[in-house]
Amino acid sequence: MISYIGKRMVAVIPIVLFATLVTFALIHISPVDPAEAYLTAAHIYPTPEILEQKRHEFGLDQPLLTQYMHTLQRISQLDFGTSYLTNKPVWDEVKVRLPATFELAVSSMLLSIVVSIPLGVLAAMRKNGWIDMLSRGISYFGASIPQFWLGYLLIFFFSVRLDWLPVEGRGTWQHLVLPTLTLSLVLIALYTRLLRSSVLEQLQETYVQYARTRGIRERVIMLKHVLKIAIAPLITSMGMNLGKLLTGTIIVEQVFSWPGFGRYFVEAIFNRDIPVIQCYVFLAACLFIVCNLLVDLVHLYMDPRISSKGRAEQ
Amino acid sequence: MSVRHRKTATLMLVVLLLLSVVLGCAKQENTPASTSTNGAANEKSITLSWPRDIGTMNPHVYNPSQLFAQSMVYEPLVSYKQGGKLEPALAESWTISKDGKIYTFKLRKGVKFSDGTLFNAAIVKKNFDAIMKNEKTHSWLGIVGVLDKTEAVDDSTFRMTLKEPYYPVLQDLSVVRPFRFLGEAGFPDDGDTSKGIKKPVGTGPWMLDEYKQDEYATFKRNPNYWGTAPKVDKITVKIIPDGETRVMAFEKGDLDLIYGEGVISLDAFKQLRDTNQYVTTLSEPVGTRSLLLNSSNPKLADLRVRLALQHGFNKQAMVEGVTSGLEETADTVLSKNYPYTNVNLQPVGYDVEKSKSLLDEAGWKLPAGGTVREKDGQQLDFELIFDKTDPIQKAMAETIQAEWGELGVKVNLTGLELTVQIKRLRSNQFDLYFWYNYGAPYDPHSFINVIAKKSFGISEVLSALPMKKDLDQQVYQALSSTDETKRQELYASILKTLQEQSAIVPISYIKKTAVYQKKITNFVFPANRDENPFEGIEIGK
C-alpha cells in the first residue's frame, strides 16, 4: 500500500510540471503583455519608460527558458509571486480564501451524499414508483438548470420573499445554506441516477437471487451486499467532483458574494493578474491529482480484490 | 458493510460535519451590522454595496483602492464643485504668480488628522515628496510633468513652483489620487508610500473602522474633522460583486443605497424605479459615450465620409432604445457642465438623404445590384471594435451596423476583451471605436491634452485632419495660457473644429445612477466623478 502511494506520488511530478508548462505557455501566447496588464489593472498609463521598467521588474526581459525555470523554482517553494493588483504575495491571499471555498465544497459534498444515497437506493428499489419519479424529476431539474440562475431563484424565494436566509456574505450557518443547496443540486442529480442504475444492475446479479432464496431480508441484502458494490462508481464520481467543487465554485461564489478562492480568481482573470492565474491553475492541477489518488485509495480499501500491485503497474 | 467499515464511515462523516460546523461558526463574530437598525441605540448608519473590495486605502496608489473610499478618508488642497467651481478645502486660499509658475497655498488652520496630529505645510510637503518619488506612475496627470519644486514656507504656507505655466494645476490637485494627504503615522519607515502604508490616517470626515477584505468595510465619523460633521454616524460598505444579487439585497432591505456607474443593469434600475417603493435618481452627465472615426484610415480621412456616417444613424432612437432612456443623446463631445464647454455648436442631425448624397459626392457609389458602395474597386467597409462584455456597446454596434448597412456601408463587428481593445486604440489599429472622456474634474483639460499628445490614441484618430497642427498649437496655448478670456476663446475654437470635423462622434451622455430607500434624504451626486456622495446624507424614519 505504502509503495503504491509512493509510486503514485512520484507520478504526480510530471503532471504538475506539464500543468505549469501549459499555463506558462498560455500566458505567453496571450495578446496582452503582462507588464501592460499590470499597469492597466493598476490604472497607470503605460508609457514606454514605465512599461520597460515593469518588464524588467517582472523578469519579462529574460529568455523564456530562464523565466520558466525561475517560475518553477519559485512554485516549488510555494512562492507564487506578488499579485499585480494588490501587491501582496499571492500565496498569502490564497491561504486566506481557501477555507471559505473548502467550507462550501465540503458542505455541498456532504449534502449531496446525505440526499442522493437514500434517494438513489429507494429509486432503484421502487423502480417506476413515485419515489423513482421524484428522483427523476430532481435529476432533470438539477442537471439542466444553470447554477447562477438557481442561485438567483433561491435568493429570491428564501431571502427576499420569505426572509428566512441572508442574501449574501459569509459568517453564520445560515449564510451557508443557499450556496450549498445551489452547488449540491447538480451533484444530487448526478449521484442519484448513478446509484440507481448501479443498484439496479447489482440486483440482477446471481448473488442477490441466492441471498433472497436463503431468505435474507431485502434490507439486509441491500445494505450489506448490493450497496457495497454499487457505490463504487459513485466514489469515483465524488472524487472527481470534489476537485471540481474546490476549483469550480466560481459562479456560486460570485452570486452569493462568498469570499472564496473562486471569486478571487474571477477578479484575477478580469485584471490579467497573471501570478494569481498561475497559482490557481497549479493548485487546481494538484487538487485534481490528490482527489484522484484518494478515490483510488478508497477503492483499494473497500474492495481488496483490487490488487494494489496490479493497479500500480497499470 | 462490515462493522469496521461502518465505524470508519460514521467516523469520517462525523469529522466532516464537525469541520463544516466549526468553519461555519468561526466567522460568526466577524459579521457586520447588516441593516441600519443594528448597532448601538440611535446610531444612524447606512449600508451600501460596492462591486469590489475597497482596497488598501493608500491615498497615493491606484487599483485596487476604490476612489470613493479614498475620498472619504483623504482630502485635497482644493475641492471641485458643481460647474467646475474650485473651492477651498485643506488650502484656505491661494495665489498664483503673474507668470503662472508659482502657486502659494495658505493652509487651513486647526486641521487635525483623525489620530489627532496637526495638518501643516511640512506634512503637505512630505506627501508631495512621496508622490513625486514615483513620478513615472503618475505621469498621466499634467501637473506631475510640470512640477519643479515644493516648499513648506512656514507652518501654514505651502509653495509649488512649476517648470512652465499650466493652468489646470488646481483641477489636478482636486482629483482623488494621488494628491491627497496621509498623516505622519501612516507613512512607512522609508517614506515610500508606493509600497504600502502603515494605516489610513486622513483629515476627511470619515475614518476606517472595521474591515474584512472582500466582505465589508465600515467607516465611522472622524471626531477631529474640521468641517461640518456628517449627519450619519456610520457607513457600512458590503462587497457584492454580482449586480443581480445587489438588487435583491436591496429589495430585501439589507442595503439602503446602491450608487455608482454601471453598478446595476439599466433593466434593474428601471424595474426598481417602476415599483415606486424607492427613490431612483440620475446624475448630471459624467462622461460622453463617443464613436471614434479613425481619420488615419484613408476612407475615413475624407470629411464627407465622416459626416455621412454621423448623419446616417438615428442617434436618438438608438440611445433611447438601448439605454431605456437612462442616457441622454449627446450632440457635442463634451457636455456643457464643465468649465469652458458652454459653447454654441451646430449639431450634426439625422439625415439619411444628406448622408447618401455625401457618400455619392465622395465617389462611393452603389454598384448596380450591389449592397456595398465601391470606389476604385474598393468596398466601403469598416471594422467596429467593441468591448464584448459591455451589453450597451454591443447593442449600439449592432444598431449602427444595420443603419449604415442601409446606406451601403459595410460594418464588421469585432467583440474584444477590454485590455485588447485598449491596446488596439493605443496602437492605432482600428477603424471605429467606442470611446469615453474622463469626466470631472479631469475635463475639459485632459480631453484637449489627448487631442494633441500622442500615444493615447486620440491624437492619431485626428491625424489626417488638415488643421491638426493648428489644433495641437491651440491645445498647447490653452493649457499654458494665464489669460482666462484667451483660454475660453481657444477652447471654443478647439471644440468647434472637432464638431465640424466629425471624427469624434458624440452618442450619449453617461449618468450615474442611485437607488435608495425612502428614509434617506438629502442625497446629492458629487460634482467630482470619483468622490463619494455621503457628505449631506440624512436618515429619516
Side-chain angles (χ1 to χ4, degrees), chain A residues 81 115 134 154 242 309 311:
Chain A
V115 176
L134 175 78
L154 291 175
L242 187 62
K309 199 162 170 271
R311 290 275 292 193

Side-chain angles (χ1 to χ4, degrees), chain A residues 103-104 107-109 111-112 150-151 154-155 158-159 164-185 188 252 256 258, chain B residues 20 24:
Chain A
E103 183 183 318
L104 204 55
S107 66
S108 308
M109 190 50 86
L111 182 68
S112 60
L150 177 65
L154 291 175
I155 294 177
F158 293 105
S159 303
W164 287 352
L165 294 160
V167 174
E168 48 74 46
R170 176 178 176 234
T172 62
W173 67 267
Q174 287 100 324
H175 286 99
L176 199 59
V177 177
L178 295 183
T180 301
L181 269 178
T182 312
L183 273 175
S184 54
L185 189 69
I188 291 171
V252 172
F256 291 95
W258 193 261
Chain B
S20 66

Side-chain angles (χ1 to χ4, degrees), chain A residues 228-245:
Chain A
K228 199 175 155 188
I229 300 169
I231 214 158
L234 194 68
I235 289 168
T236 312
S237 178
M238 277 183 336
M240 293 325 292
N241 280 316
L242 187 62
K244 253 194 203 166
L245 273 176

Side-chain angles (χ1 to χ4, degrees), chain B residues 427-485:
Chain B
S427 55
N428 196 30
Q429 291 172 335
F430 66 94
D431 300 332
L432 311 165
Y433 187 100
F434 285 107
W435 186 75
Y436 310 88
N437 64 315
Y438 308 94
Y442 310 97
D443 283 332
H445 63 275
S446 300
F447 173 72
I448 60 165
N449 183 44
V450 297
I451 287 173
K453 201 170 171 184
K454 284 205 171 119
S455 84
F456 287 91
I458 309 304
S459 179
E460 291 80 353
V461 162
L462 306 169
S463 59
L465 305 193
M467 68 297 286
K468 178 67 169 55
K469 271 193 178 159
D470 269 357
L471 206 60
D472 291 356
Q473 194 56 33
Q474 286 179 351
V475 167
Y476 180 73
Q477 283 174 359
L479 290 174
S480 58
S481 161
T482 51
D483 179 349
E484 186 76 15
T485 326

Side-chain angles (χ1 to χ4, degrees), chain A residues 31-33 36-37 40-47 49-50 53 85-88 93 97 99 102-103 106-107 110 113 151-152 155-156 159-160 163 165-168 170-176 223-225 228 253-257 259-260 263-264 267 269-272 301-302, chain B residues 1-2 4-6 8 13 16-17 19-20 23-29 31 51-53 56 61-64 67 136-140 177 194-195 211-215 238-246 248-249 251-252 254-255 389 417 419-420 422-423 426 454-457:
Chain A
V32 175
D33 171 5
E36 207 174 329
T40 311
H43 284 196
I44 298 167
Y45 184 76
T47 54
E49 307 91 68
I50 194 162
Q53 185 187 318
L85 196 67
T86 59
N87 253 331
K88 289 180 189 162
E93 301 242 84
R97 288 164 173 89
F102 186 69
E103 183 183 318
V106 169
S107 66
L110 280 180
I113 292 171
Y152 291 150
I155 294 177
F156 183 73
S159 303
V160 180
D163 200 11
L165 294 160
V167 174
E168 48 74 46
R170 176 178 176 234
T172 62
W173 67 267
Q174 287 100 324
H175 286 99
L176 199 59
L223 292 177
K224 278 204 161 178
H225 305 285
K228 199 175 155 188
E253 285 185 8
Q254 193 80 2
V255 167
F256 291 95
S257 307
R263 215 178 98 189
Y264 180 57
E267 196 138 314
I269 292 174
F270 278 116
N271 291 298
R272 296 254 177 182
Y301 179 71
M302 287 187 66
Chain B
M1 198 184 270
S2 72
R4 192 167 58 99
H5 284 173
R6 203 182 306 161
T8 319
L13 207 66
L16 284 172
L17 269 170
L19 197 67
S20 66
L23 283 170
C25 297
K27 301 284 159 194
Q28 220 154 351
E29 69 271 24
T31 318
R52 294 180 58 187
D53 185 72
T56 53
V61 300
Y62 303 88
N63 242 358
L67 289 152
K136 279 184 189 164
T137 308
H138 311 298
S139 62
W140 62 275
R177 52 200 187 196
S194 73
K195 296 195 184 84
Y211 168 60
K212 188 145 181 37
Q213 193 178 7
D214 278 351
E215 294 187 41
K238 282 191 173 189
I239 312 306
I240 306 182
D242 185 81
E244 297 306 319
T245 309
R246 219 171 290 144
M248 286 195 273
E251 283 181 306
K252 183 171 183 274
D254 285 353
L255 301 176
T389 60
E417 206 187 319
T419 29
V420 183
I422 295 174
K423 197 181 162 119
R426 288 178 182 153
K454 284 205 171 119
S455 84
F456 287 91

Side-chain angles (χ1 to χ4, degrees), chain B residues 308-493:
Chain B
L309 293 179
Q310 186 162 193
H311 280 301
F313 74 105
N314 190 343
K315 195 187 293 179
Q316 178 109 28
M318 179 174 90
V319 173
E320 270 176 22
V322 176
T323 73
S324 314
L326 297 180
E327 286 182 16
E328 192 185 314
T329 311
D331 283 329
T332 53
V333 177
L334 292 185
S335 54
K336 295 191 174 175
N337 53 338
Y338 303 105
Y340 312 111
T341 57
N342 197 359
V343 179
N344 212 5
L345 300 171
Q346 190 64 36
V348 182
Y350 175 49
D351 188 342
V352 176
E353 288 317 308
K354 193 166 181 187
S355 176
K356 284 179 181 164
S357 69
L358 277 166
L359 289 172
D360 286 337
E361 203 183 298
W364 293 101
K365 309 263 185 191
L366 261 181
T371 52
V372 183
R373 287 173 186 265
E374 288 176 7
K375 180 177 160 183
D376 305 331
Q378 254 198 319
Q379 282 200 326
L380 188 56
D381 57 352
F382 302 108
E383 185 195 26
L384 168 53
I385 59 177
F386 64 95
D387 174 6
K388 64 179 170 189
T389 60
D390 183 335
I392 295 183
Q393 276 192 17
K394 185 168 184 282
M396 286 190 171
E398 283 162 357
T399 312
I400 287 171
Q401 182 188 43
E403 294 214 55
W404 287 353
E406 294 288 311
L407 301 173
V409 181
K410 188 176 173 197
V411 178
N412 301 310
L413 302 182
T414 310
L416 295 174
E417 206 187 319
L418 186 63
T419 29
V420 183
Q421 196 192 356
I422 295 174
K423 197 181 162 119
R424 285 191 54 184
L425 168 73
R426 288 178 182 153
S427 55
N428 196 30
Q429 291 172 335
F430 66 94
D431 300 332
L432 311 165
Y433 187 100
F434 285 107
W435 186 75
Y436 310 88
N437 64 315
Y438 308 94
Y442 310 97
D443 283 332
H445 63 275
S446 300
F447 173 72
I448 60 165
N449 183 44
V450 297
I451 287 173
K453 201 170 171 184
K454 284 205 171 119
S455 84
F456 287 91
I458 309 304
S459 179
E460 291 80 353
V461 162
L462 306 169
S463 59
L465 305 193
M467 68 297 286
K468 178 67 169 55
K469 271 193 178 159
D470 269 357
L471 206 60
D472 291 356
Q473 194 56 33
Q474 286 179 351
V475 167
Y476 180 73
Q477 283 174 359
L479 290 174
S480 58
S481 161
T482 51
D483 179 349
E484 186 76 15
T485 326
K486 177 94 192 299
R487 205 182 297 144
Q488 176 67 68
E489 278 169 19
L490 287 162
Y491 265 109
S493 165

